Amino acid sequence: MGKRAGRLEVIATPIGNLGDLSARARERLAAADVIAAEDTRRTLALLHSLGVARPLLSLHEHNELQRVEELLARLEAGEIVALVSDAGTPLLSDPGAELVRRAAEAGFDITTVPGPSAIIAALSIAGLPTQPFCFEGFLPANERERRVRLKQLASEARTLVLFEAPHRIVASLADLAMIFGAERRAAAARELTKAHETIYRGTLAELAQRARTEDNFQRGEITLVVQGAPPASATVDLELLRRTVELLSRELPPGKVASLAAQLTGASRSEAYELALRVKSDRGPR
């Protein structure tokens, strides 16, 4: 499908420090026919600080499905629609995915003005492996649902990035320490790019303790970075390995036996080869 007249521009805005807004982002906001904003009051304050005045339209989790049709009609009319969230890059734990999907399906041009992201900012200073990583967003607010989700994530080997509300950070860190293990390393980035930016690093048990005892820990916006689970140690069924090697040794040389037995049982090739040689020796020449 060819490109159509209107254009949707997905624009990243500051996560705290207004100085982080790019010159291109300001230019594109000023040129938009309408700005779809998660919270029009916050976006209006941002525009005032920039000396920009543009029409605003709310687009949040409760009205996105209804608002999309109006915004698609504006795109059809050839307008430039800017999409912003309250802070950071839109769609990352923010509304807008349905609008982007529908605009793409309809063939409208969609461009991005990249910029601040709490996910990348926290990863860059956490002191933990940055790749591979996965972004989980907010954990469930309900305790039972949160613990179920954490149990599902406990064996995740990639570095995990989470958002958490300040009033839930104590409970969430306690659950993380209990389910992931007290010694798993993590970092909590609070109020990124703002005047009271703070980064807490340590084990999950240490962070849980600090969250309980330090009042400032429970203030502001928080991004958690948690080290991935260590590789699971493989347990080899020695009886299965022995039977596999004995069976294969009836038809194959030790090297081939070792390769196949290692794949079938999870044993190391060297372990399987040593056993294959012993089996061959025990059986003697035929």
Side-chain angles (χ1 to χ4, degrees), residues 71-205:
L71 291 169
L72 289 176
R74 286 175 174 267
L75 291 170
E76 186 70 43
E79 294 188 5
I80 297 174
V81 176
L83 172 65
V84 300
S85 62
D86 285 351
T89 302
L91 277 70
L92 301 175
S93 279
D94 291 323
E98 181 67 11
L99 174 60
V100 171
R101 183 184 70 80
R102 293 281 302 280
E105 287 179 350
F108 292 109
D109 192 20
I110 304 173
T111 62
T112 178
V113 182
S117 166
I119 302 164
I120 303 303
L123 273 170
S124 71
I125 60 174
L128 296 170
T130 57
Q131 57 186 26
F133 78 89
C134 60
F135 174 57
E136 180 66 16
F138 283 94
L139 290 170
N142 177 272
E143 181 183 89
R144 184 186 65 80
E145 293 175 359
R146 180 172 63 245
R147 290 178 177 179
V148 168
R149 184 59 185 142
L150 287 177
K151 288 176 182 176
Q152 295 169 343
L153 294 170
S155 60
E156 172 60 64
R158 295 171 295 179
T159 297
L160 185 65
V161 183
L162 304 159
F163 289 157
E164 192 49 280
H167 63 279
R168 291 197 299 266
I169 190 62
V170 172
S172 290
L173 281 171
D175 286 346
L176 278 161
M178 176 180 65
I179 295 169
F180 281 26
E183 297 306 309
R184 183 88 69 92
R185 298 201 65 78
R190 187 181 72 85
E191 293 289 83
L192 284 167
T193 78
K194 299 177 183 178
H196 299 291
E197 175 181 295
T198 310
I199 181 79
Y200 303 90
R201 302 180 185 88
T203 67
L204 285 171

Side-chain angles (χ1 to χ4, degrees), residues 14 18 21 26 42-52:
L18 293 180
L21 185 78
R26 184 192 184 286
R42 294 188 65 167
T43 301
L44 183 61
L46 172 65
L47 294 179
H48 281 167
S49 73
L50 301 175
V52 171

Side-chain angles (χ1 to χ4, degrees), residues 242-254 256-258 260 275-276 279-280 283-284 286:
R242 183 189 63 77
R243 292 199 306 269
T244 302
V245 168
E246 287 181 347
L247 181 62
L248 293 174
S249 294
R250 296 174 185 175
E251 304 291 339
L252 301 171
K256 188 65 174 177
V257 169
L260 290 174
L275 182 56
V279 169
K280 180 180 180 181
R283 295 179 66 183
R286 297 290 175 99

Side-chain angles (χ1 to χ4, degrees), residues 52-73:
V52 171
R54 303 308 303 150
L56 294 171
L57 200 64
S58 67
L59 179 75
H60 48 72
E61 61 178 334
H62 302 297
N63 74 350
E64 183 173 1
L65 293 178
Q66 294 75 31
R67 192 68 85 188
V68 163
E69 296 300 334
E70 179 179 350
L71 291 169
L72 289 176

